[in-house]
Amino acid sequence: MRTMNVSCLKKEFQYCMHACGFIHDLMFTNSRESLEYWYGQGIRLFEVDIDVACDGMYVACHNFNKETFEKMELEEIPEQCTGTWFRQQKLYPYATGGLTPLTLDDIFGLLQRYPDLLIMIDPKIYSYDGTCALLEKMRSETGRAGIDGKRILFETYNEDMIRATEGYREVFQYQYCVDDEMQMGSSEMIRSWEMERLVRFLKAHNIFILSWPWKFAVESLEKLKRLKEEGFVIFSKTRNDILQDLLKRAGINVNIIDHLVTDAQKKELEHYRKTYFEAYEGRINRVFGAGK
């Protein structure tokens, strides 16, 4: 059984499927079929969005609300959507024939079924109390099921979330999101900190893994280099894998993607790839060195 830790993440460049990965031309499904499809393609690391329903059940959904359910082609949506209701649905029934939603308990079941599966949890709960409640649920259930908590990587966005991990520091692994398009809870404050203060705070809380969407990281290459020099493992999100050469050269350890491109898609995207390399390859070479 492979256990996820900082050392193993540093050994080889690898992919992580965003929201369980692209399936049937759909992204962000967080579905069982998507995870199992990409697991069958050799992927072992999956990002899963976790939100909480009105009955307190934790579910794999980016935004647990009526607007999301309508996009998922669900009908007869109740006023109060429980986790029990959600797990009985079939997502995108017209586009796909129906995908199976996941709950946090289902995720634990998959971790038991696939001993080499690694899960990155992206919580949609950003408060101190909410984070503590989720981590307590996770500790209880992983302990009951005999699951090594180090196979779970829990993403944090702000100081409140990071402080909530203190009582669970040795149970799971934790990650901090350096920057994103949106602010999560009090994230704007910690994202304004000077580098030295941020590094001290993260290391004091045993966080040595960072996430940083590539569109932001590539515009702050000196900062990225400094974080690499401080020993952090870096996850970085792109739509697919066509920029992998640049990410590897910049020291990215894990590329979070929606899908791996086919040969046909690679040909279709070649002009975009070439233009992108012309814009950024020189910058990356100057900061990180050519050919690394």
Side-chain angles (χ1 to χ4, degrees):
M1 181 186 300
R2 182 175 63 162
T3 299
M4 177 170 61
N5 52 46
V6 171
S7 296
C8 90
L9 290 173
K10 285 183 176 180
K11 287 180 180 177
E12 59 179 323
F13 181 85
Q14 57 189 294
Y15 294 106
C16 171
M17 301 314 293
H18 180 233
C20 292
F22 188 87
I23 191 169
H24 295 299
D25 295 326
L26 294 168
M27 296 184 292
F28 317 123
T29 67
N30 285 290
S31 66
R32 178 183 293 272
E33 288 81 2
S34 182
L35 186 148
E36 291 187 335
Y37 171 77
W38 288 107
Y39 183 90
Q41 300 300 307
I43 303 296
R44 294 295 180 265
L45 179 55
F46 291 82
E47 187 251 20
V48 182
D49 299 302
I50 295 294
D51 205 345
V52 62
C54 65
D55 58 354
M57 184 182 292
Y58 294 102
V59 294
C61 186
H62 192 276
N63 292 298
F64 195 77
N65 56 39
K66 185 176 181 180
E67 181 180 0
T68 297
F69 304 145
E70 289 174 344
K71 291 178 180 178
M72 291 177 171
E73 303 176 353
L74 301 185
E75 299 175 347
E76 298 182 9
I77 301 169
E79 287 299 319
Q80 296 292 319
C81 297
T82 65
T84 301
W85 168 82
F86 182 67
R87 75 187 312 180
Q88 293 172 346
Q89 305 306 303
K90 283 296 183 180
L91 312 180
Y92 302 98
Y94 302 110
T96 71
L99 299 176
T100 307
L102 295 170
T103 67
L104 186 60
D105 288 340
D106 294 326
I107 296 297
F108 297 144
L110 288 164
L111 284 165
Q112 288 180 299
R113 180 178 178 183
Y114 301 117
D116 56 351
L117 177 64
L118 311 173
I119 295 292
M120 171 186 165
I121 287 183
D122 183 358
K124 304 307 171 184
I125 303 152
Y126 309 119
S127 67
Y128 175 87
D129 290 340
T131 302
C132 285
L134 175 53
L135 290 172
E136 181 59 34
K137 163 72 173 179
M138 290 169 54
R139 177 167 66 178
S140 174
E141 292 303 315
T142 53
R144 180 189 60 78
I147 297 168
D148 180 4
K150 298 298 184 180
R151 293 171 61 199
I152 299 175
L153 176 59
F154 189 90
E155 188 167 25
T156 62
Y157 290 94
N158 58 48
E159 187 176 5
D160 293 331
M161 296 179 75
I162 293 173
R163 293 196 183 282
T165 70
E166 291 181 359
Y168 308 89
R169 192 174 296 175
E170 302 305 318
V171 184
F172 309 108
Q173 294 194 86
Y174 299 96
Q175 177 181 37
Y176 169 67
C177 180
V178 177
D179 201 1
D180 204 318
E181 294 175 317
M182 299 175 62
Q183 299 297 337
M184 286 75 166
S186 58
S187 60
E188 188 172 10
M189 178 183 66
I190 190 172
R191 286 172 178 172
S192 69
W193 288 0
E194 294 181 354
M195 174 70 77
E196 289 74 14
R197 181 182 180 185
L198 177 63
V199 168
R200 285 197 306 270
F201 181 76
L202 294 175
K203 290 185 175 181
H205 286 81
N206 204 33
I207 296 177
F208 292 92
I209 304 173
L210 305 176
S211 63
W212 199 358
W214 180 248
K215 65 183 292 184
F216 295 99
V218 76
E219 299 297 341
S220 301
L221 293 173
E222 294 289 351
K223 184 176 181 179
L224 176 60
K225 184 180 181 182
R226 170 69 190 284
L227 291 170
K228 291 296 299 181
E229 291 170 346
E230 289 287 345
F232 289 99
V233 168
I234 311 289
F235 284 52
S236 197
K237 170 74 173 65
T238 59
R239 177 62 60 87
N240 53 49
D241 60 321
I242 65 170
L243 303 179
Q244 63 165 299
D245 291 345
L246 290 183
L247 271 67
K248 288 180 180 179
R249 205 172 302 172
I252 300 301
N253 303 98
V254 179
N255 188 189
I256 304 174
I257 58 174
D258 293 300
H259 66 102
L260 295 164
V261 297
T262 64
D263 289 340
Q265 290 169 334
K266 190 176 295 185
K267 289 180 180 179
E268 292 176 1
L269 294 169
E270 182 55 35
H271 177 72
Y272 170 80
R273 182 180 182 276
K274 181 179 179 181
T275 302
Y276 194 95
F277 268 64
E278 289 173 351
Y280 289 101
E281 187 173 22
R283 302 187 206 179
I284 291 170
N285 289 344
R286 283 193 294 274
V287 175
F288 290 93
K292 292 187 179 180

